[in-house]
Amino acid sequence: MDTVDGVPTGTNDEGAQPPADARLNAAAQPDRRRHRSRRVIVLSTAVAATAAVGAAFGLAAGGAANAAGASTSTASSASIHAVFGRSSSGYGYGSGGYGYGYGSGSGGSSSSSASSGSSALASATAAQEVGVVDITSQLTYDQAESAGTGLVLTSNGEILTNNHVVEGATSISVTVVATGAQYTATVVGTDATDDIAVLQLGNASGLSTATLDTASDASVGEAVTGVGNAGGTGGTPSASPGTITALDQTITTQAEQTAASETLNGLIETDADIQAGDSGGPLFNSADQVIGIDTAAEQGGAIAGYAIPIEPALTIAGQIESGRSSSTVTIGYPAFLGVEVDSAAGASSGSGDGSAFGGFGSGSSTGDTAGAATSGATIAGVIDGSPAAAAGLTTGDTITAVNGTAIDSASALTAALGAHAPGDSVSVTWTDASGASHTATVTLAQGPAA
């Protein structure tokens, strides 16, 4: 399997990348030990209609769900849609759950809409538009575009959304739906584990903020409305009314293309018809207060939508705002090296922790001869104009060390580069196809959002 800097590229068995908004659902498997349903579900990241390819699609699924405070229900033929559609050609985005990378892969194609039901949805009211934004992410290395939704937290433009809405983005634009004002956004920080991201709009002031309910008093049977950028079409947000069917739910999304499998806990489950593109948007109570962030959806049979409760989302946002990184929280952007590596060629594909990107570099090469068989991370592709390209790395080379630390696998490379930030200078040692060893110093550049 090819990976970028140690992370799987996400191609399917034929080598082509399916639409990224297709985080597909497998059979639901109740977690009876915790008395809450554990389902393998695709993120409803609302996908978003992507410029390169589009629509979300799902797999048939079935299984029982034990709802807290609600009767047991069974989901059959469940089609889950992933957040935004990301399909691509050329160098594609791939995530392996433990790190992120860019690697080459042939692009898929699709012309269907991101969601089949968005045209029948109601429109959000004026009150429900307040503090809501549309988010469009350019996925340059994927040659694609994704769309989602977000919430205005501060009058100077701090935005709360799902991590998967901006994951892999090289640039982000945000439109305030109530006014049509457009801004460029940067990533303040992300939490891929809990699927939360915080953005900052450039030169924003005087924005109306979302009305939040942090009382944690949501209850089964309560009326709710999911609002968002259904289908990624922009304009007046769609509105999907429903009721809360369960609380404190745990779901597991299945890895598909760029989307890594992840388990999300403590979710609000509703029967609102959450659409692709709604990801990051508000789940309102009957008083039009935000009680959750639309995140995932299951369709087919009984409709189920899932939202992250607003209180824990705000706690994570607060940590990001304070600049405190952790095992789950990444502040700012990762570093970027720009190589695709073949995990099958190393001693172990494993799972690196952090982003394995590097920056544009300069340095000299030396030419010692190594043995015929070399343990390391074998390069399957180099991104034009990247730090790796500037340093002289080419397809077929094998990276054997970073800053003098031995690299014996793709995952080791991911971990080594993930420990650095954009602007850091590191030495990279590699062996070329003839067996000659080279070392160059590169300065890691800013990579796409993690």
Side-chain angles (χ1 to χ4, degrees), residues 17-24 42-58 80-89 92-93 107-115 135-149 163-169 171 229-233 256-259 275-279 295:
Q17 292 179 333
D21 41 317
R23 294 200 183 187
L24 306 185
V42 193
L43 281 187
S44 158
T45 342
V47 176
T50 109
V53 182
F57 57 92
I80 311 278
H81 40 88
V83 178
F84 34 44
R86 289 182 190 164
S87 69
S88 61
S89 60
Y93 178 81
S109 63
S110 172
S111 59
S112 57
S113 64
S115 174
I135 300 173
T136 301
S137 299
Q138 298 299 323
L139 313 174
T140 301
Y141 295 100
D142 237 0
Q143 297 183 19
E145 179 180 276
S146 70
T149 313
N163 177 68
H164 67 251
V165 170
V166 297
E167 185 179 20
S171 65
N229 183 17
T233 58
E256 187 65 35
Q257 197 220 12
T258 69
Q275 300 288 309
D278 288 347
S279 287
T295 299

Side-chain angles (χ1 to χ4, degrees), residues 121-130 132 149 177-178 225-230 235-241 278 282 284 288:
L121 297 175
S123 296
T125 65
Q128 291 169 341
E129 289 186 6
V130 176
V132 177
T149 313
V177 299
T225 303
V227 169
N229 183 17
T236 301
S238 63
S240 303
D278 288 347
F284 286 109
D288 286 338

Side-chain angles (χ1 to χ4, degrees), residues 142-200:
D142 237 0
Q143 297 183 19
E145 179 180 276
S146 70
T149 313
L151 299 172
V152 180
L153 293 183
T154 64
S155 61
N156 67 346
E158 189 172 276
I159 305 298
L160 177 67
T161 189
N162 286 131
N163 177 68
H164 67 251
V165 170
V166 297
E167 185 179 20
T170 49
S171 65
I172 303 167
S173 61
V174 172
T175 301
V176 179
V177 299
T179 65
Q182 297 183 333
Y183 300 88
T184 297
T186 55
V187 174
V188 179
T190 58
D191 182 341
T193 300
D194 297 296
D195 205 1
I196 293 296
V198 175
L199 312 180
Q200 177 62 54

Side-chain angles (χ1 to χ4, degrees), residues 298-349:
E298 178 180 4
Q299 282 190 328
I303 294 173
Y306 296 91
I308 299 170
I310 192 62
E311 187 173 17
L314 291 175
T315 298
I316 296 169
Q319 179 179 344
I320 291 173
E321 294 159 6
S322 69
R324 291 183 289 116
S325 62
S326 68
S327 59
T328 59
V329 170
T330 298
I331 303 300
Y333 291 85
F336 184 72
L337 179 60
V339 296
E340 174 198 0
V341 294
D342 185 355
S343 62
S348 171
S349 60

Side-chain angles (χ1 to χ4, degrees), residues 382-427:
V382 177
I383 297 176
D384 290 342
S386 68
L393 287 156
T394 62
T395 301
D397 291 345
T398 300
I399 296 176
T400 57
V402 173
N403 276 353
T405 299
I407 299 298
D408 60 6
S409 66
S411 61
L413 176 62
T414 300
L417 295 179
H420 293 278
D424 287 355
S425 292
V426 299
S427 65

Side-chain angles (χ1 to χ4, degrees), residues 1-12 17 86 92-105 142 167 255-261 339-344 349-352 354 356-357 410-411 414:
M1 175 185 293
D2 287 342
T3 65
V4 176
D5 295 349
V7 180
T9 59
T11 57
N12 61 17
Q17 292 179 333
R86 289 182 190 164
Y93 178 81
S95 68
Y98 296 91
Y100 300 83
Y102 287 81
S104 65
D142 237 0
E167 185 179 20
E256 187 65 35
Q257 197 220 12
T258 69
S261 174
V339 296
E340 174 198 0
V341 294
D342 185 355
S343 62
S349 60
S351 56
F357 305 123
S411 61
T414 300

